[in-house]
Every structure is written in C-alpha cells, then in structure tokens.
Amino acid sequence: MNKPTKINFILPFKPRRPAGGFRVMYEYANRLAKKGYSVHLTYPIRTQYMEYRLPYVARYILSKVEGFRNDRWFNFDPSITMSYVPQVDDRYVVDADVVIATWWSTVLEMGKLGAAKGKKINLIQGFENWTGHEDLLYASYDMPDTTNVVVASYLKEIVEQHTSKPVALIYNAVNNKEFFVKDKIEERTLATVAMTYSIQEIKGSEYGLKALMLVKERYPELQADLFGVCPQPEGLPDWIKFYRAPDNLCDIYNRNAIFLSNSFTEGFPLTPAEALFCGCALICTDIAGHREFAIDGETALLVEVKNAEQMAERICYLIDNNEERISLAHRGNNYIQRFSWESAIEKMENLIKQIV
C-alpha cells in the first residue's frame, strides 16, 4: 500500500490572532488533509528579516509553554501535525514530498533546504515590498527547483518580470460554508456599513473612519460595525460598534448593507470577498488586489486610495439609491462564487501531482 504524499507547510511564525495569509495556508492544509494527504505545519522561532516584539529566548520558552493549545481561531483537521523549529534548516525541518512556504524571507530559507525536505512551492500572496529588501524579494521569485504559485493575476505579471520560470495562478478562495447570505439583501437596513479596522497604515482605516463620520453628518441614522485583531480604537462614538477577532463574522456581514475596504495595497483581500459572499454591496479602493473581483459599477464601486470624501459620496449614493445597492450586491455575490475552495484545491492538487 502506498504511503500518502507528505506535505509540509512552513509558516513565517505562529499567529495568535486571525490573519488572511495564514488562513489561506491553513485552509490548504485542512482540505489536503481531508483528501488523505499527510500534512505537517512548521513554525520557525527565528526567521531572517522578521521584526519581533520579544527576544529569541522568550519566544523559545513561549513555544515550549504554549505548545499548540492556542489555535482557537482556526479548527484544524485532527490528522495534521505541527512543530516549532529554531529556524528553517535541514537539521530541524521534517522530511516530506512537498514543502510549501509563504512570505519571501521564509521562502528564501526554504530554498536552501535539501531534496529530502520535498519539492518546493512558493505561495505568493502579495507584492511583499512593504519593508524594503526588494532585491531579496525578487530573488525569492527565481529560486532553483521551486514552483511559484500566485493568488492573483496582477501578481503573475509582477513575478514573471523577475523570472523565466513558469508561474501558476491559483486564486485565493472563500469558504462558502462559512460565508453566505443569511439575511436577504433586499431587507437590510439601508444606512449600515461594515469595515475592517487595522492599525497598519497600509490598510487605510483612518480614511474609512473619516468617511463614516462624513456620512453620519448627512444620515444621523447611520450605524457601523468595525472588526479587527487589534484593540478597539479610542474615542469611537456609540453608533460605531467594534468587535475584536469576532467568531461571528458571517453575522456581522449579513446585518450590514454595505462593506467598505480602504487598503492601499492587497494581494487578494479576503474580507471584501467574504462580504460579497454574504451579500454586502462593496465599496473599495481602486487597487490591483481589489480589482481581481471588484469591477467598477458591476460588482463594486471603486474609489481613490486615501479619498475619504469620495468613499463617503459612494456610501451616500447607495443609501440614496436602494435599488442600485440591491442590484450591485446581487451582481457582486454572483460574481464572487467563482472563487471557491473546491476550484483552488483541485488546481493545487493537480500541481502537487505534477511535481512529485
């Protein structure tokens, strides 16, 4: 009897709270495990170029004390095994048939692993140039014996400028068993808006908040739901509710008519895609990541980055024109269905079979 193919996912670190890139890796791990693959997750305690809040010794001790008990935000298939390692190195990483890494620095370290650690896949989830080191980022696209997989079409164009190797496109996906329309689109309260809040400047939350304040001046009945992994921002008015790392995101999306996404840059953004699955009318910044599914006037309304006034205008437009809000939400919901995990897993599994 043949042994199941062993797949080792190398993560940049062990996240304590929900994060989109990690969720994608976890979904792949879970779904491949359910298909009979032997799946392992590896968490290095030290990754080059990573900025840490705690020193190495403290992180090492925490890894021993906590183990893998703090996985409350994602339910793993029980067959999946996990380990902490001091760093990504042949001495510590388990042998496997396939090894998959994400984030350019982790990928560069994966590239130095020997053949026994598995055929290498670089899962590129964004144009990760936020902290400089662009020479190293581009080097991670052109490593020998490594297959590049991108999650968005614009990323494919970027990566192909820096390597002659083939680049596979497997779109990110949303779990349609977790995110779907519960509350009828037609019956939602008009002046309701949901938005992700983040302290990261590139997420543009300050402009989204400013837009909401402008809309409130025109529509005193406006209510907003914010959610994120960071603490609640200070000074929020009582008409804006904040939810930290909520486990009922589907309900939050469903009780709002509009979703606002303000980022300056994204790979393939999950929260606006989830909002579309749940029937929100989407207003989002005109950036490459959003444009993978946000077609202006068809599936979403696009606005300039950092333009709070334009965001406010678009929100007011949808409140004033309820039939257009309903139509936009339905078109967006219909379009987003193509980004399914069934399709993503089929493509990833075909790729794995090709390279093993």
Side-chain angles (χ1 to χ4, degrees), residues 248-268:
N248 63 333
L249 256 183
C250 184
D251 293 335
I252 292 174
Y253 293 132
N254 268 272
R255 67 171 172 257
N256 285 279
I258 299 166
F259 186 82
L260 182 61
S261 188
N262 322 288
S263 295
F264 304 169
T265 179
E266 291 282 356
F268 183 105

Side-chain angles (χ1 to χ4, degrees), residues 117-154:
K117 307 307 171 183
K119 302 289 187 179
K120 303 177 179 75
I121 294 177
N122 173 16
L123 184 59
I124 301 165
Q125 300 195 59
F127 183 42
E128 301 158 331
N129 63 341
W130 318 296
T131 56
H133 305 293
E134 285 198 6
D135 55 333
L136 296 175
L137 170 64
Y138 297 144
S140 74
Y141 297 160
D142 197 36
M143 296 193 310
D145 305 317
T146 301
T147 300
N148 289 318
V149 177
V150 295
V151 301
S153 58
Y154 82 94

Side-chain angles (χ1 to χ4, degrees), residues 239-300:
W239 56 271
I240 300 180
K241 301 291 186 287
F242 180 80
Y243 304 88
R244 188 177 189 187
D247 56 9
N248 63 333
L249 256 183
C250 184
D251 293 335
I252 292 174
Y253 293 132
N254 268 272
R255 67 171 172 257
N256 285 279
I258 299 166
F259 186 82
L260 182 61
S261 188
N262 322 288
S263 295
F264 304 169
T265 179
E266 291 282 356
F268 183 105
L270 293 178
T271 51
E274 292 165 358
L276 287 178
F277 266 93
C278 293
C280 293
L282 176 62
I283 298 171
C284 59
T285 44
D286 188 4
I287 58 172
H290 284 148
R291 287 196 298 270
E292 294 298 313
F293 50 79
I295 304 165
D296 193 30
E298 290 295 322
T299 64

Side-chain angles (χ1 to χ4, degrees), residues 24 51-52 55 85 89 95 119 132 142 146 152 161 164 190 197 214 239-240 250-251 303 321:
V24 168
E51 294 182 5
Y52 294 103
V85 296
D89 186 280
D95 290 352
K119 302 289 187 179
D142 197 36
T146 301
Q161 293 173 20
S164 58
L190 278 180
Y197 177 82
L214 292 171
W239 56 271
I240 300 180
C250 184
D251 293 335
V303 296
N321 297 274

